[in-house]
Amino acid sequence: MKPITIDLPHSLGPIEARRRLEEGFDKIVSQFGGSAKLTRQWTGDVMAFSATVMGQTITGDLEVLPDAVRMKINLPNVLALMAGKIKGRVQKQGQILLENKTPPPKA
């Protein structure tokens, strides 16, 4: 297993960040193919997950912090060869998911 860690800063607050993660996590996993299978379980502000992608099982967790989400992903050896590409793709999709889309207040 090759662990990777991704920190995704946000300015949403933990409640909104968790809501968006709950709605959008499937989309991130689906980036790796329609055959991906996902399980997840929340304990407080930590979500443990397992995803089967291309016949390989990825495990990990993500923690919702007040100003960031920290993801720890364990890649099996076969997928570890693509760790950089996987990290980049997950980071990009996570940033889009946590982007603050609220317009700034008018002066």
Side-chain angles (χ1 to χ4, degrees):
M1 290 291 221
K2 177 178 175 71
I4 58 175
T5 301
I6 302 169
D7 287 323
L8 302 167
H10 67 80
S11 59
L12 302 169
I15 294 170
E16 177 63 11
R18 180 177 169 156
R19 185 190 70 76
R20 290 190 188 188
L21 288 168
E22 287 175 350
E23 291 179 1
F25 198 74
D26 291 331
K27 292 178 186 176
I28 293 173
V29 172
S30 72
Q31 297 291 314
F32 300 101
S35 63
K37 306 279 188 246
L38 172 68
T39 60
R40 61 183 166 205
Q41 180 175 347
W42 284 96
T43 303
D45 288 332
V46 177
M47 180 183 78
F49 64 88
S50 174
T52 302
V53 179
M54 300 185 313
Q56 301 293 312
T57 300
I58 298 169
T59 60
D61 60 66
L62 59 84
E63 181 179 8
V64 179
L65 302 167
D67 59 355
V69 172
R70 174 163 291 147
M71 295 183 74
K72 296 177 186 170
I73 304 170
N74 300 305
L75 299 174
N77 290 336
V78 172
L79 293 177
L81 299 172
M82 300 185 304
K85 185 175 182 179
I86 291 170
K87 182 176 182 176
R89 192 178 253 184
V90 171
Q91 192 163 18
K92 180 180 178 183
Q93 292 300 316
Q95 287 171 333
I96 290 169
L97 188 65
L98 295 172
E99 186 176 81
N100 190 350
K101 298 173 184 143
T102 305
K106 294 183 179 180

